Amino acid sequence: MKREYSIIGKPTGNVDGAAKTTGEAKYCFDMSLPNQLYGKHLRSPYAHARILSIDTSEAEKLQGVKAIITGKDVPGGKWGLWRRFRELCDQIALADDKVRFIGEPVACVAATTKDIAEQAIELINVEYEPLPGVFDPLEAIKDDAPLVHDDFENNINATRHIEWGNVDEGFAQADYTREDKFTCFPQAVASMEVHNSLASYDKGSKRLTVWSSTQSPYYLQLGLADALKMREGDIRVIKPHVGGGFGGKNSTMPDSTSAALLSMKTGRPVKIVFNREEEFISTEHRTGMHVALKIGLKKDGKIVARECKVITDGGAYTGLGATALYLSGIFQTFPYKIPNYRYDAFRTYTNKVWATSVRGFGATPTVYCAESQLDRAAKDLGIDPLQIRKMNVMEPGYEAPGQYKVDSCGIMPCIEKMEKRIKEKWPKVEENEGIGFSAFAYMSGGIFNWIDTPYAYSGARVQVNIDGTVDLFTQASDIGQGHNTVSVMICAEELGIGMEDIRLHPADTATTPVDLGAWGSRETLMNGNAIKMAAGQIKQKLVDLARAKLGENIAYDLVAKDKRIYLELRPERGFSYYDIVRDAIKLNDGEPLIGTGHYTPHNKGMISPAYGMGIMAIKAKVDKEIGHIEPQGVLIVHDCGQEINPLGARGQVEGSVHMGLGYCLCEDMPNDNGMLLNPSMNDYKIVRQRDMPQIELMDVPTYEAEGPFGAKEAAEATIAPTAPALANAVFAATGAEFDSNVLKPEKVLKAIRAAEAKKAQKK
Amino acid sequence: MKQILQFTVNGEPRELLIDPKKFLVEVLREDLGLTGTHWACDTGACCCCTVIMDGKAVKSCSILAMQANGREVTTIEGLADGPNLHPIQQAFIDNWALQCGFCSSGQIMAAKALLDENPSPTREDIQLQMDGHLCRCTGFNMIQEAILDAAERLKGQK
C-alpha cells in the first residue's frame, strides 16, 4: 500500500528557526543567574607528572575569590560512559595523584568576575614531578613504556576481537590478496559553542540544577551523580539550545563537575565556560589509529575474506573510545557481504587528551581504509569500481553471524541509480581529473548498552489538552541536527494534526522521560518510535470514540488526518479532531489525555536496529605540480528509509560532507610530546565557503519496518565515504595511493611520485 | 577608570558606564543582555560575533566598545520588524541555512550588510564576502542559497 503522509516527507523549516535567527534562542553560553560566580580551571602544563602538592593560599587571599577546589574536594569516585565495566570508568573531576595530559584540570577557582578567576589561577602553586610520557600507540604497548594508568598493563585500555566465517580458509580460496597499512589521524570536534555549564545548588532541598551544552542530559546526570556521590534524582540537568556536539559532548566534563562542586561549596550559582584553547586541548576528538588491512577476492571481484588489525591512540581516558574501537571493526564491513572476517584491535592509553565518538564514529577511519583498498584491488583485477561494489553488496535480510542483521537495504538500487546518473552528470573526465566512489552505511542508534541504563532507550509523553493542543515531553536532544523538528513532525503526523498544535518540551531530566541522547543517529528511529507510540495511544482513544459515535460497521477503518477523524473510505463521515478531543476528555473524568511511549530494540543483533546506506561519488581535479586537490562536485545516492524531513536530511548531508572533506584536506592535530600545536580556530583549518563543492543528493526510498513511518538513519553515514571517495578520485586520476587520511599537497605530491615510479618500474 | 559610552543600539539610544577594556561583544551581551550575538573563537577567527556598525559588518569581538561611541549598532535582535521576521531571517529558516544556530546571528548580520550594499549578489560574491564566517554544521551551501533567496525576497518587497 502506498503511504500518503500529510507532514512526513515534506521539506519542513526548523521549528527552532525563528528563535535561532532572531537571537532569542538561549544557549547555555548565553545564560546567567543572579549572584552568579565564574569558574576557571588551572590546567597541567605537563603531559605526565605526579602532583606533589598544591598550594592555594595565595589565590584564596585575592579579593573576589570565593572558593577553590582541587582533586581532594571531589567526593565521588571515577566515572565514565562504560558503566557496565567499572574498570573503564576512569575519568576524574580534577586530577588527584597525577596528571595525564597537557591541559588536564588540577584546580578550579570560583570568583565574582572572570578576570579575578583568571588572576587567581595564576596564584596557585602546584609542585609537579614530571614523568616520562607516551604519545604514540605503538610506543605505548612496549613493555618498558611508562604507564598512563598504573593498573592497565602495556597501556591497553580495551581490546576487541570480532570474527565470523573462517578467515584462513577464505584467504586460501582467494585468487588475489593484498595488504595495506594506513595511519588515520585524529580530527577535532570544533563545535561552535564551547563546552560550558551553569550549576545552581539549592541549599534547602540539597538538590542541584545544571544547565549544560550537552548531547545527553541523561548521561550528564549519571556522570554527575558518580562524580558528586549524589542520587541521580537529586540532580536536574537541563539542555538548552546546543551549539553543536558532533559526538564531543557525550562525556561528563569538568565544566559541569567543577561548576557543580563550586556551587555546592559556595551556595551560589557558578558558570564555567571553556575558552577555545581549552576546548582544543582538553575536550575529546576523533580517534587516531594504525590500521592493517588484508583483503582476499576471487578473480571476478567477489570478496572472500578480510582481516583487519587496529591499534588506536586512545589518549588519557576512555570516553566513548572503547565503543569506537568496537564499531571500527563493524562499519568497515558495510555494506558488503564478507563471508570470512576477522578483526583484532586494541585501544591504548597515551598522554594526550582522549579520543571518543565523533560524527560517524567507528566508521570514518576504517571505512576510509577499506574503501581505498577496495579500489586498488578493483584496479588490479581490472574491474570497474561500481561493478566490484555491486558484486559484493548486501541484500535485505543479510546477517553477519553474531553481530548484525540488516533488514531494509537499498544499497543495490542506490548503486544502480548512481551508475545511471553519473553518466549524465559527468560523462567524461579531463586530464588530471578523476571520479572516486565509496559506499557507506551507518547505524540508527546503538543497541549496545555499555552505559547500563535500566530505562528504555527512549521515552516520550504526550498530553492532549481540552483545546486540542498537545504538550510533547521527551529527553531527546536537538544539538543542531534538527531533531526537535523531527519530533514535532512525527507527533503531528501520528495524531493527524498540525505542527502548530504541538508544544515541545525537550531535554530536562526533571520533567521528561529518559532518552539516551543524541549520538549514533539514534534519535529519529529510537525517539521517533517512542513519540509515535505515545501519540498513537491517544489516537487510538480518539478513533475508538469516533467509531462508537458513528455507529458504523466495526470492520470499517478510521483515520486521523487533517485535523479530522473519519472513515477512510467515506471521508465525509467523521468528526473534527478538536470536537473528539473535548468529548474524550469529558469521558476521561476531566483529565487531559496522556499517552506514554518508549522504545528499546530487540532481536536486532548487537549493533543497531536499522542501517542507512548508499554510495557517494566525488569528482576531483588534481594539480600535479603543487599537489592541490579540488573537489569539483559530490553526488550521493542515499537510502535512509522514509525521509522524515528532506530539508533537514539534506542539511545533515551537507554538513557531513563538509566535515569529511576537512578530515582529509585541511584538518589535523599536530602534536609534539603531548602538546597540540594548533589549538585555535585560526590554526585549526576547517573547509571554507569557497572550497566547498556543490552536492547533489538523490534518494532511494525503502521502508524500514522498525522505524517510525519507515524511517532510519539519515546523513551521518555520509561523512565516512567522503575522504575515501576523494582519495579514490585522486587514485583514478593519478594512480596515487595514500597511506593516511591526510590528502594535503605534500602528501599528494609524494603519492603521485611514488605512483609514477611504480609505473615506470613496471615498464 | 570607567568611561561613558553613548551609542545607538537597535535604534535605541544607550548610555553606559563601562570598563574601557571591554570589547563591544561583551558590552552587548553582558551590559545590555543582547545575548543573540555569540562568539566562538577568542581570536577573531570565526565571525560569529558579527554586528552592523554604521552600515558595515564588524566583528564585535575585535573592536573595543568605546570605538562604538557615537555610532549606530544593529544586532540580530534589531533585525525583525516587531513580530515579523526580516526576509533574511525567513530565508534562513526556509532554506535550512541553520542547524545548531550558534553562528547564525553573525551569518545573518553579514548577509544583511552584504545585501544592503549589493542587492543582487552572485554566489561568488557571497562566498567572497562570507568566507571568514565559520560554521561547523551546514557546509555553507544552504547558507548561500538562503542569501540568494533573501535577495529575491527583498527585491519583491520593493
Side-chain angles (χ1 to χ4, degrees), chain A residues 20 27 189 276 652 667 682, chain B residues 30 40 42-43 99-100 136:
Chain A
K20 287 180 173 179
Y27 300 77
V189 174
R276 182 53 68 179
Q652 290 294 294
E667 296 181 35
N682 305 64
Chain B
E30 294 165 11
D42 311 320
T43 50
Q99 291 182 29
C100 84
R136 195 56 161 164

Side-chain angles (χ1 to χ4, degrees), chain A residues 77-151:
Chain A
K78 295 179 175 181
W79 76 86
L81 291 166
W82 272 58
R83 289 160 51 99
R84 275 192 82 80
F85 301 85
R86 290 314 298 199
E87 70 276 14
L88 292 180
C89 290
D90 51 13
Q91 270 182 263
I92 42 177
L94 292 167
D96 43 13
D97 58 334
K98 66 176 188 174
V99 288
R100 295 182 173 86
F101 67 92
I102 293 173
E104 180 156 21
V106 293
C108 193
V109 174
T112 49
T113 70
K114 282 182 277 189
D115 286 350
I116 294 172
E118 279 177 21
Q119 287 166 30
I121 59 168
E122 301 290 329
L123 299 173
I124 298 173
N125 190 16
V126 185
E127 205 184 336
Y128 294 99
E129 177 198 337
L131 300 169
V134 60
F135 309 104
D136 184 299
L138 299 177
E139 294 293 320
I141 55 174
K142 289 184 178 164
D143 283 337
D144 58 351
L147 291 182
V148 180
H149 293 266
D150 292 343
D151 36 0

Side-chain angles (χ1 to χ4, degrees), chain A residues 20-21 26-27 29-30 114 188-189 192 276 480 650-652 654-655 667 682 688-690 692-693, chain B residues 29-30 35 38 40 42-43 76 89 96 98-101 123 130-131 136-141 144-145:
Chain A
K20 287 180 173 179
T21 54
K26 287 280 173 282
Y27 300 77
F29 190 76
D30 303 327
K114 282 182 277 189
V189 174
M192 287 290 111
R276 182 53 68 179
R650 189 191 150 205
Q652 290 294 294
E654 294 270 353
E667 296 181 35
N682 305 64
R688 304 286 275 251
Q689 308 233 0
R690 276 177 289 179
M692 187 63 195
Chain B
R29 287 173 56 86
E30 294 165 11
T35 56
H38 297 135
D42 311 320
T43 50
I76 191 72
Q89 291 169 319
W96 203 269
L98 59 102
Q99 291 182 29
C100 84
R123 203 161 184 134
M130 305 281 290
D131 193 54
R136 195 56 161 164
C137 296
T138 63
F140 304 112
N141 282 323
Q144 294 160 12
E145 286 160 28

